[in-house]
Amino acid sequence: MKIIIETQRLILRPLTLTDAETAYYGWTGDPEVAKYVSWLPHHSIDDAIEWLKEIEWRQDDSGNIVYSDNYIWGFVLKETGELFGSGGLIWEESRQMFQVGYNIMRVHWNRGYTTEAMRAILRFAAANLGIKTVSGGHAKENLASARVIEKLGFVYDQDSLTPHVDGTKVFDSREYLLDL
């Protein structure tokens, strides 16, 4: 099964260990990008390498995707070949479903790339992974992520508190659902 997805402006592909430096300097190590997320910004390229190992795509001998608790793509601009972000689906234990997640370099914010990428990923998930419903959420202060969620057609479910992974802070957040 082909896991590379093309949209009008983007190529979405699995990330590899060779992407560690770009990811670290571009978005995973940027505290501003990580301001409203529950994961810790990476403090080194080694952190990015560990993350890339965790999200590695797996396929069986026939090329079928092996079930995973995440499906993450790198976002690449078709025009330039620049890798500038990542996103996909991450298993959310508390809700027993996949949740969307995405992060891109600040220089590419507010251009519609995240919405374009996630729309394609959601179509892929429905057609190829058998996923029927996904959740999405954002810190209430993160208006850009709220716009992405709304453009994708998610329906408001509830207000929530989202703890940061290190336990140092909690976000007031909004949670959504989308039937695929």
Side-chain angles (χ1 to χ4, degrees):
M1 174 182 308
K2 187 176 178 184
I3 53 180
I4 294 175
I5 303 170
E6 289 192 44
T7 70
Q8 181 180 350
R9 302 179 293 170
L10 306 174
I11 296 170
L12 310 178
R13 62 161 176 81
L15 292 163
T16 67
L17 293 179
T18 61
D19 296 319
E21 190 171 324
T22 301
Y24 173 69
Y25 289 111
W27 68 95
T28 67
D30 184 337
E32 188 65 22
V33 172
K35 184 176 182 178
Y36 296 114
V37 297
S38 60
W39 51 268
L40 292 172
H42 295 163
H43 297 293
S44 68
I45 292 174
D46 288 340
D47 288 349
I49 289 170
E50 288 306 309
W51 169 67
L52 290 166
K53 287 178 182 177
E54 289 174 19
I55 64 164
E56 182 180 17
W57 283 81
R58 291 169 183 80
Q59 292 178 277
D60 64 20
D61 292 339
S62 300
N64 298 309
I65 296 169
V66 174
Y67 178 81
S68 180
D69 61 358
N70 65 68
Y71 301 98
I72 306 295
W73 285 262
F75 299 170
V76 177
L77 290 171
K78 273 186 181 179
E79 189 175 311
T80 64
E82 178 188 14
L83 173 66
F84 69 95
S86 61
L89 303 166
I90 303 101
W91 182 254
E92 185 180 349
E93 191 65 35
S94 64
R95 296 193 86 175
Q96 291 292 296
M97 69 177 65
F98 284 95
Q99 178 178 33
V100 296
Y102 39 81
N103 293 277
I104 67 171
M105 294 177 181
R106 283 186 278 157
V107 68
H108 294 295
W109 286 0
N110 300 310
R111 296 184 182 176
Y113 294 141
T114 302
T115 303
E116 183 176 331
M118 293 309 299
R119 221 176 242 134
I121 288 169
L122 292 169
R123 279 194 301 270
F124 180 93
N128 299 288
L129 301 174
I131 297 173
K132 307 269 189 251
T133 303
V134 294
S135 68
H138 62 85
K140 286 183 181 179
E141 296 174 24
N142 189 347
L143 301 179
S145 193
R147 285 192 301 275
V148 170
I149 294 287
E150 290 165 6
K151 287 178 188 176
L152 292 171
F154 279 80
V155 176
Y156 172 77
D157 182 45
Q158 64 185 354
D159 284 350
S160 182
L161 295 174
T162 302
H164 197 268
V165 72
D166 67 359
T168 61
K169 58 185 168 183
V170 175
F171 299 108
D172 286 324
S173 57
R174 294 178 60 86
E175 301 293 327
Y176 301 79
L177 295 171
L178 178 67
D179 291 327
L180 302 182

